[in-house]
């Protein structure tokens, strides 16, 4: 696949990820997988109590890894739950954040999912600076797309215009590198 074809599969948009009719939406969860605030709270509210019931059967998830459940009342068929790092300013943060994106895409490919929507993992409560996180996310997404041909479209859904602009900058920086 050409680099252009690869980048055409990455879309950025401002909005609410709970409204995305993708094959899977990614949840920025915590290691209990039992819900919380931010995008996690929004996904659980929109999916309904059956999501929590399925999450209870999973026994949690370590930082950097991912687990999959059904989407229940969401327009998305599946939810891929991942646990981002709490930002500390250490090299391990970047490795863990990259692992989140990579492990979500690996799971999506294993389930033969074609369309995936990501939020800005770790960029809320977990305090990851958006510009750094965006560069890591875009690179990991590009690498995932080159590994997994079955993935047709990855949309990163940003809540705020500021976050969207940070992702737009990261995307053009990587494309022009
Ligand atoms: N759609 C898209 N993005 C959203 C939405 C939404 N509906 N709601 C929030 N965001 P956060 P984290 C953005 O805090 O930093 C939870 O309590 C938000 O603006 O949701 O990974 C978990 O249980 C931010 O840019 O996740 C964990 O305990 C991004 O989503 C902890 O927070 C991520 O913010 C995880 O923290």
């Amino acid at each position: 696949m050409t680099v252009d074809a690869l980048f055409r599969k990455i879309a950025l948009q401002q909005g609410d990820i709970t409204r995305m009719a993708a094959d899977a939406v990614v949840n920025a969860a915590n290691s209990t997988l039992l819900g919380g605030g931010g995008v996690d709270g929004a996904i659980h509210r929109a999916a309904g109590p059956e999501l929590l019931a399925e999450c209870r059967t999973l026994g949690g998830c370590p930082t950097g890894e991912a687990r999959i459940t059904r989407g229940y009342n969401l327009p998305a068929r599946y939810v891929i739950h991942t646990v981002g790092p709490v930002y500390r300013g250490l090299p391990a943060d970047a490795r863990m954040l990259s692992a989140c994106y990579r492990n979500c895409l690996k799971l999506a490919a294993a389930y033969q999912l074609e369309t995936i929507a990501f939020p800005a993992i770790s960029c809320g409560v977990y305090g990851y600076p958006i510009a750094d996180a965006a560069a890591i996310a875009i690179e990991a997404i590009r690498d995932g797309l080159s590994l997994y041909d079955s993935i047709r479209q990855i949309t990163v859904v940003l809540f705020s215009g500021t976050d969207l602009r940070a992702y737009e900058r990261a995307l053009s920086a990587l494309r022009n590198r």
Side-chain angles (χ1 to χ4, degrees):
M1 203 184 326
T2 66
V3 174
D4 272 359
L6 210 73
F7 278 104
R8 270 199 297 277
K9 294 183 175 182
I10 307 176
L12 307 177
Q13 75 175 57
Q14 191 177 348
D16 177 354
I17 201 168
T18 65
R19 305 175 72 92
M20 294 292 293
D23 289 338
V25 293
V26 172
N27 182 18
N30 60 63
S31 57
T32 69
L33 298 184
L34 298 180
V39 72
D40 194 8
I43 285 175
H44 275 275
R45 275 193 302 278
E50 286 169 301
L51 178 62
L52 182 58
E54 185 174 354
C55 283
R56 284 192 200 285
T57 68
L58 297 177
C61 177
T63 304
E65 293 189 19
R67 300 287 185 268
I68 192 164
T69 64
R70 288 171 54 198
Y72 300 99
N73 296 335
L74 289 169
R77 282 166 55 212
Y78 291 95
V79 180
I80 298 178
H81 307 262
T82 190
V83 184
V86 175
Y87 183 73
R88 294 191 175 83
L90 302 173
D93 302 340
R95 281 200 298 276
M96 281 297 171
L97 187 61
S98 181
C100 287
Y101 286 91
R102 288 162 197 273
N103 285 322
C104 287
L105 294 175
K106 189 175 174 183
L107 203 47
Y111 277 70
Q112 297 177 308
L113 307 184
E114 296 184 352
T115 57
I116 298 117
F118 279 99
I121 300 163
S122 284
C123 294
V125 175
Y126 283 179
Y128 216 113
I130 188 77
D132 296 343
I136 292 162
I138 294 292
E139 188 162 5
I141 287 171
R142 180 206 55 190
D143 292 349
L145 283 169
S146 67
L147 272 178
Y148 309 116
D149 272 350
S150 55
I151 301 176
R152 222 163 27 80
Q153 176 92 76
I154 296 177
T155 307
V156 186
V157 182
L158 290 321
F159 221 31
S160 75
T162 319
D163 290 355
L164 175 63
R165 283 184 287 281
Y167 265 75
E168 284 168 347
R169 280 192 290 274
L171 185 59
S172 28
L174 189 62
R175 195 191 274 145
N176 299 327
R177 201 161 75 182

